[in-house]
């Protein structure tokens, strides 16, 4: 092709050179466009993954705070339960003491 264009004259030779340059540059442009689209997709995917990571970190932080609150509530309930158990034990002991007094009084009454 190049020889044929040179045979046509200097203008044809320039057209041939221009066609050759275009033939070399056009694929490079296509490669650049594909690379740009690929980079754009990769950038969007990275941003999406970063957003997802931030959301997960925020969610983990909220869950950790909730867990700490639940642990505190649980500990407070255990303390309250211990207090109630002590009150119940004291009440039972008081009932036993009353039963013992009543029993003693009954025994004295019977012995009189």
């Amino acid at each position: 092709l190049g020889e044929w264009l040179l045979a046509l004259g200097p203008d044809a030779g320039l057209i041939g050179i221009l066609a050759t340059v275009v033939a070399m540059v056009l694929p490079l442009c296509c490669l650049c466009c594909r690379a740009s689209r690929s980079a754009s997709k990769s950038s969007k995917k990275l941003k999406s993954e970063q957003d997802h990571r931030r959301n997960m970190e925020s969610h983990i932080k909220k869950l950790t705070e909730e867990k700490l609150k639940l642990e505190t509530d649980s500990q407070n309930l255990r303390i309250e339960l211990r207090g109630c158990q002590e009150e119940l034990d004291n009440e039972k002991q008081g009932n036993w003491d009353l039963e013992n007094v009543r029993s003693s009084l009954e025994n004295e009454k019977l012995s009189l």
Side-chain angles (χ1 to χ4, degrees), residues 13-66:
L14 289 176
I15 292 173
I17 292 171
L18 183 59
T20 303
V21 169
V22 168
M24 289 176 21
V25 171
L26 193 59
L28 289 175
C29 289
C30 291
L31 284 174
C32 288
C33 289
R34 273 189 247 138
S36 176
R37 280 194 304 264
S38 178
S40 178
K41 285 180 184 179
S42 295
S43 176
K44 287 178 184 177
K45 184 176 179 182
L46 177 62
K47 185 182 180 313
S48 173
E49 288 174 359
Q50 287 172 337
D51 289 344
H52 180 69
R53 181 178 177 194
R54 278 191 293 273
N55 289 339
M56 288 296 104
E57 287 172 347
S58 174
H59 187 63
I60 288 170
K61 182 180 176 186
K62 287 177 187 175
L63 290 175
T64 302
E65 290 171 356
E66 187 176 328

